[in-house]
Amino acid sequence: MIFEMSNCGSHMMRRRMIMVMVHMMIVVMMMKNYAYADTNIIFNPCDDSKVKRWDGFTFGLAFSTKESFFLDQIQLSPCDSRLALPTKNAKLAIFRPKVDEISLLTIDGTNFNPILSGGYVVAFAGRKYAARSAPTLVADSTHTVTNITLVLEFQQGTLENLYWKSLGCDSCSGETSVCINNTVCAVPNLKCRNNGGPIDCNIGIQLTFSGTDEKRQVLNSWYEVENLRKLSLYDLYSNVAEAVPGHPQ
């Protein structure tokens, strides 16, 4: 009888301890989520915002011809109405990644052909600084670039620059990927799925961050990607997706 009561008491004590531990874990998780909460209330890529690490940050990608981004030989932000991009068959994609997280952004090519929009893309955000990247080629009549790297550079939480970074052609492999100008890997258009080929030619953008946030914390994700330059997040995602039963190909 005493043995059974002792076991019962121990069992109840263990239950209480487990419940306390679970409660502590929930509290810690809530505190962690709160610490990493998104405090940036700006969702328009053409408005200015000041961010801290782990905030969401909204920016845009505009697809058009290279000439469409210039007025009197001066490159303007796609937010500038003087470019009149809507009248030039330009397309727009908007993303909101977390600051200093390495992200893979993909653009579904099912209903989007970058060649028809002009083949070039510009990344942009903000109004006062009107930060914008240089136009970079993502598709032409012969090839489609499926994997490019974009760096967002902040100073004390304000975006000051966006630039495309070449990681070379170390990740090019096999007959399905060729090196263009010793800078990026591309897929011949005839091998793309929308042309009857076997390759998914969706555009993939490895997004990274550098500089400092609003609290002057250093943003390190760019350096992490640079150390992994022989790897492609797009290829890694594609390989995993193909291995998952039932995943749409």
Side-chain angles (χ1 to χ4, degrees):
M1 181 71 68
I2 296 174
F3 181 78
E4 290 178 355
M5 288 179 64
S6 176
N7 278 347
C8 181
S10 299
H11 180 67
M12 292 295 294
M13 185 177 294
R14 285 197 297 270
R15 287 185 61 185
R16 290 194 186 99
M17 291 178 63
I18 291 172
M19 290 175 66
V20 170
M21 291 177 65
V22 170
H23 178 70
M24 290 175 62
M25 290 175 62
I26 292 174
V27 170
V28 170
M29 291 176 66
M30 289 176 65
M31 291 175 63
K32 183 177 180 181
N33 289 336
Y34 177 78
Y36 294 161
D38 183 357
T39 61
N40 179 17
I41 62 173
I42 303 300
F43 288 84
N44 187 335
C46 292
D47 287 340
D48 295 317
S49 63
K50 204 173 185 69
V51 297
K52 68 179 190 311
R53 201 176 188 194
W54 311 127
D55 273 349
F57 180 77
T58 305
F59 77 100
L61 298 175
F63 295 85
S64 191
T65 62
K66 186 176 183 179
E67 297 76 17
S68 297
F69 299 109
F70 292 83
L71 181 66
D72 296 331
Q73 300 183 340
I74 298 175
Q75 185 186 350
L76 303 179
S77 167
C79 296
D80 197 316
S81 60
R82 290 176 293 176
L83 291 179
L85 289 178
T87 67
K88 301 174 182 178
N89 198 34
K91 303 298 181 183
L92 174 66
I94 296 176
F95 297 93
R96 189 177 174 85
K98 283 190 175 182
V99 174
D100 212 27
E101 274 193 354
I102 300 174
S103 301
L104 174 63
L105 313 177
T106 58
I107 299 175
D108 187 358
T110 304
N111 298 310
F112 170 64
N113 187 337
I115 300 175
L116 298 180
S117 295
Y120 281 81
V121 61
V122 165
F124 65 94
R127 183 178 303 277
K128 179 180 179 181
Y129 290 99
R132 64 272 191 193
S133 71
T136 191
L137 182 69
V138 290
D140 59 18
S141 59
T142 56
H143 295 93
T144 297
V145 178
T146 58
N147 181 28
I148 51 180
T149 299
L150 176 64
V151 182
L152 273 59
E153 182 179 11
F154 289 80
Q155 293 301 326
Q156 297 185 29
T158 298
L159 180 69
E160 290 195 350
N161 194 17
L162 307 93
Y163 55 93
W164 306 104
K165 193 71 175 178
S166 170
L167 297 180
C169 293
D170 291 340
S171 62
C172 301
S173 59
E175 298 180 356
T176 60
S177 184
V178 297
C179 182
I180 305 295
N181 299 324
N182 293 320
T183 57
V184 295
C185 302
V187 177
N189 289 338
L190 291 178
K191 296 183 181 294
C192 291
R193 190 163 294 152
N194 56 5
N195 290 322
I199 307 301
D200 180 355
C201 290
N202 292 340
I203 297 173
I205 299 173
Q206 295 179 157
L207 180 68
T208 63
F209 296 80
S210 68
T212 57
D213 74 353
E214 184 179 11
K215 296 182 179 181
R216 299 190 178 184
Q217 292 188 13
V218 176
L219 307 178
N220 294 312
S221 58
W222 156 241
Y223 303 103
E224 296 172 7
V225 166
E226 188 176 29
N227 290 333
L228 298 172
R229 61 185 303 147
K230 289 188 177 182
L231 301 178
S232 163
L233 291 180
Y234 181 84
D235 291 340
L236 178 62
Y237 170 81
S238 298
N239 292 337
V240 171
E242 291 174 359
V244 175
H247 189 279
Q249 300 293 320

